[in-house]
């Protein structure tokens, strides 16, 4: 039995050596770690667990960022839908307000023209246009109810439109200045030569009875002469587009200034207006004469 215990177990000297080694190890650990070894174990645990903590922190940050991004995307889409609805509403309002604004602008322009011409002018609206036809014209919404009469001059801020051709109880028809059967007494602004404007259609007209001796330049303004007693002198008709020599007279083509295809509101001159309602035009190249004795 004694041999079996010695073979499978330790002797008393062995156990003493083990106890001594453990004592020395414990003393060495106490000397190395100090009086508070728990702090060092905590540091060691922190170092060991730091990678896993960083990984967990990054995972949590990624999930938070993804959640915030999803929420931001949803909010952005909702904001886009709201802004699109507001934009569509504003476009609809702008489309509804466009006719009113156009009428307001037209009224302001006509008021400015009324202030420039010291005559009793009446206004009317164009309700229909038959201009594509050869002898087409403009239909106004006023007639005898406004005291209108045939051959009254029709104008807009850009220039003359034509004259009243026929008048009934509540409507009137305007013969445009570019109609083949229309005629207007005109004069050239620079040369002061007079003639008769006859329509050619499509916003163009021909000045007849201008002598070959006259000097007419392309781009020169054409004004009403007042001799037809439909328009007073000095109203803009258009601008010279072409000049060519003829057998007895110049062939002067004029582009009318008034947009006859886009007229909405017009002003009507009184019947047989006065010949002159504005100061006479002074040529651009004419300089005022100096009085004697002035430097």
């Amino acid at each position: 039995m004694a041999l079996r215990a010695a073979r499978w177990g330790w002797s008393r000297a062995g156990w003493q050596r083990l106890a001594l080694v453990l004592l020395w190890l414990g003393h060495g650990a106490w000397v190395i770690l100090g009086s508070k070894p728990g702090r060092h174990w905590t540091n060691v645990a922190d170092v060991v667990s730091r990678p896993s903590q960083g990984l967990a922190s990054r995972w949590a940050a990624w999930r938070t960022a993804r959640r915030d991004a999803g929420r931001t995307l949803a909010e952005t889409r909702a904001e886009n839908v709201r802004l699109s609805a507001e934009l569509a509403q504003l476009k609809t309002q702008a489309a509804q307000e466009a006719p009113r604004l156009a009428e307001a602008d037209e009224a302001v322009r006509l008021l400015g023209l009324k202030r420039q011409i010291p005559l009793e002018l009446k206004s009317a609206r164009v309700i229909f246009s038959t201009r594509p036809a050869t002898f087409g014209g403009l239909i106004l919404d006023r007639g005898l109810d406004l005291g209108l009469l045939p051959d009254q001059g029709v104008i807009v801020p850009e220039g003359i439109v034509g004259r009243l051709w026929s008048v009934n109880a509540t409507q009137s028809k305007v013969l445009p200045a570019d109609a083949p059967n229309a005629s207007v007494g005109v004069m050239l602004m620079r040369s002061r030569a007079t003639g008769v404007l006859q329509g050619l259609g499509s916003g163009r007209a021909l000045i007849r009875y201008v002598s070959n001796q006259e000097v007419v330049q392309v781009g020169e303004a054409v004004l009403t002469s007042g001799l037809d007693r439909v328009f007073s002198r000095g109203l803009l008709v258009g601008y010279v587009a072409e000049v060519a020599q003829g057998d007895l007279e110049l062939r002067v083509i004029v582009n009318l200034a008034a947009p006859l295809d886009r007229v909405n509101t017009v002003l009507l001159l009184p019947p047989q207006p006065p010949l002159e309602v504005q100061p006479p035009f002074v040529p651009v190249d004419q300089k005022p004469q100096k009085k004697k004795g002035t430097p």
Side-chain angles (χ1 to χ4, degrees):
M1 295 297 294
L3 291 175
R4 186 177 297 177
R7 181 182 297 179
W8 297 105
W10 284 7
S11 63
R12 181 178 297 178
W15 285 108
Q16 289 177 355
R17 294 189 188 96
L18 179 60
L20 184 60
V21 170
L22 293 177
L23 180 62
W24 278 102
L25 290 175
H27 179 72
W30 181 82
V31 171
I32 294 173
L33 298 178
S35 59
K36 296 180 178 179
R39 177 168 53 86
H40 297 281
W41 291 112
T42 302
N43 294 336
V44 172
D46 291 341
V47 172
V48 173
S49 62
R50 189 169 298 169
S52 59
Q53 291 178 356
L55 183 60
S57 177
R58 291 191 183 93
W59 173 257
W62 180 80
R63 293 188 60 186
T64 302
R66 187 176 179 83
R67 183 175 61 253
D68 293 343
R71 185 184 301 111
T72 304
L73 180 60
E75 292 175 354
T76 303
R77 288 178 177 174
E79 184 70 12
N80 289 339
V81 171
R82 185 181 64 81
L83 292 177
S84 299
E86 290 183 0
L87 180 61
Q89 183 177 2
L90 291 176
K91 287 183 177 180
T92 303
Q93 292 178 357
Q96 294 175 351
E97 295 293 335
R100 301 179 187 176
L101 295 177
E103 290 182 1
D105 292 341
E106 189 72 15
V108 171
R109 294 171 63 249
L110 293 180
L111 180 60
L113 181 60
K114 281 186 175 182
R115 292 178 178 177
Q116 294 178 6
I117 302 178
L119 294 175
E120 185 181 355
L121 304 179
K122 299 178 181 180
S123 61
R125 296 179 58 188
V126 177
I127 58 176
F128 189 70
S129 174
T130 59
R131 279 184 47 77
T134 304
F135 293 93
L138 305 174
I139 308 300
L140 306 182
D141 65 344
R142 306 303 297 270
L144 296 175
D145 55 347
L146 192 62
L148 302 183
L149 298 173
D151 282 338
Q152 284 188 240
V154 183
I155 60 175
V156 291
E158 292 83 359
I160 69 166
V161 174
R163 68 177 70 193
L164 292 184
W165 182 254
S166 61
V167 181
N168 57 30
T170 58
Q171 293 181 356
S172 303
K173 183 177 180 180
V174 178
L175 179 66
D178 66 344
N181 56 336
S183 61
V184 180
V186 296
M187 66 178 180
L188 296 163
M189 182 174 182
R190 189 174 183 278
S191 64
R192 315 303 291 179
T194 60
V196 177
L197 189 80
Q198 293 183 349
L200 297 177
S202 302
R204 293 164 64 88
L206 170 68
I207 300 180
R208 299 290 308 277
Y209 313 119
V210 178
S211 172
N212 282 330
Q213 305 301 320
E214 298 289 346
V215 178
V216 181
Q217 299 178 352
V218 174
E220 184 174 353
V222 180
L223 310 174
T224 54
S225 64
L227 299 179
D228 54 10
R229 301 306 306 273
V230 175
F231 300 96
S232 299
R233 179 184 300 171
L235 300 177
L236 180 62
V237 176
Y239 299 93
V240 176
E242 302 175 16
V243 182
Q245 290 282 342
D247 295 335
L248 300 176
E249 60 187 37
L250 291 177
R251 177 178 173 82
V252 182
I253 305 298
V254 177
N255 288 334
L256 300 182
L260 302 180
D261 293 326
R262 302 189 307 273
V263 174
N264 296 318
T265 308
V266 299
L267 292 177
L268 297 107
L269 297 171
Q272 296 187 348
L275 179 65
E276 189 80 51
V277 295
Q278 298 179 1
F281 287 95
V282 179
V284 178
D285 55 355
Q286 179 177 348
K287 297 182 180 179
Q289 299 180 355
K290 297 181 179 179
K291 297 181 179 180
K292 296 182 179 180
T294 59

